[in-house]
Amino acid sequence: GFFQSYAVEVDVKDASNATCLYAKWMMRFLIIYETNSSDYKNATLNLSSSVTHNESVCGNDTQAALLAVQFGEGHSWSINFTKTNETYQGDFITFTYNTNDTAVFPDAKRKGPITIVVKDTMHPVQLNNVFVCHNTDFFEAENVTQIFWNVTVQAFVQNGTVSKKESRCRADTPTSAPTIPPTIANATTASTTTLSPAPTTAPKPVENPDTGNYSLKSGNTTCLLATVGLQLNVSQDKPLLININPKTTTADGTCGNTTANLKLNDGNSTLIGF
């Protein structure tokens, strides 16, 4: 499904009021939690419109930089950055969610804050470069899936100015130029000298999606099989139909004794979870 989420923009200043750490990104969290009746429910935690970043730290040659945000009813998220003489990189992501937030976790059996720590897979970025990744990325640990997209971040900003040099993530770098079908937005009208009106043609209907075969393994054993064709119908200003292409879609997830999670990512910021 599609969920409302807010973009977060953090501009951390040093003692001289110069920018030392900058980030703008979007994220949400999918959490499986146990209820008092020993059932398991899925919760979606989105960022609210009010986010604070009081615990963020600039960092230096001997101290890690820390990008930390707090939101909602006792939830927080942070990532620390370390640097070498030439590069910087994220090391660990720490996420704390509070099951006392009954709006998100109704009837939760375990009460209070729960902290998850995962190692960041961000590759080293050249100093004085800003890291940019528009495509969707996610981390999964301990029944929590953290989803990120439209990420822009620079740690150890030099001279208080965010760099214009970009280091893109691998997902943002296509192996070949995509073929873009003509739409109202990108079609151009050629000039003509004829006085006859050009013939009109009905728009080509969207074809049925191709069927994909997706599977998950637990060790050497296949624990989930799905054969399905997927089409998304997004209603915004006008209906938008999107076919999920099995040839470019990857499957990931986990199998448990009572639950299984299948995540499909088509590499175009489209993530679908079952």
Side-chain angles (χ1 to χ4, degrees), residues 16 32 214:
S16 62
I32 300 174
Y214 309 102

Side-chain angles (χ1 to χ4, degrees), residues 210-245:
D210 292 334
T211 300
N213 295 303
Y214 309 102
S215 63
L216 298 179
K217 287 185 177 293
S218 178
N220 294 324
T221 304
T222 298
C223 59
L224 187 149
L225 290 171
T227 300
V228 59
L230 290 172
Q231 182 181 89
L232 307 182
N233 187 335
V234 185
S235 297
Q236 295 178 328
D237 296 334
K238 64 176 67 175
L240 172 65
L241 296 179
I242 304 172
N243 283 344
I244 303 302
N245 184 358

Side-chain angles (χ1 to χ4, degrees), residues 5-6 61 106 156 160 181 197 219 223 266 274:
S5 188
Y6 292 91
D61 291 338
F156 308 102
C223 59
D266 73 347
F274 298 93

Side-chain angles (χ1 to χ4, degrees), residues 73-84:
E73 301 295 326
H75 313 298
S76 62
W77 180 91
S78 66
I79 178 174
N80 72 310
F81 297 93
T82 55
K83 73 171 181 175
T84 65

Side-chain angles (χ1 to χ4, degrees), residues 12 14-15 20-21 56-67 80-89 91 127 155-158:
V12 183
D14 61 16
C20 62
L21 174 60
S56 297
V57 178
C58 287
N60 51 42
D61 291 338
T62 58
Q63 181 185 13
L66 181 67
L67 174 63
N80 72 310
F81 297 93
T82 55
K83 73 171 181 175
T84 65
N85 292 333
E86 298 179 350
T87 64
Y88 67 91
Q89 67 180 49
D91 288 333
L127 287 175
F156 308 102
V157 176
Q158 300 177 11

Side-chain angles (χ1 to χ4, degrees), residues 151-167:
V151 175
T152 300
V153 61
Q154 183 181 358
F156 308 102
V157 176
Q158 300 177 11
N159 301 320
T161 303
V162 177
S163 177
K164 294 183 179 180
K165 299 178 182 178
E166 293 186 355
S167 292

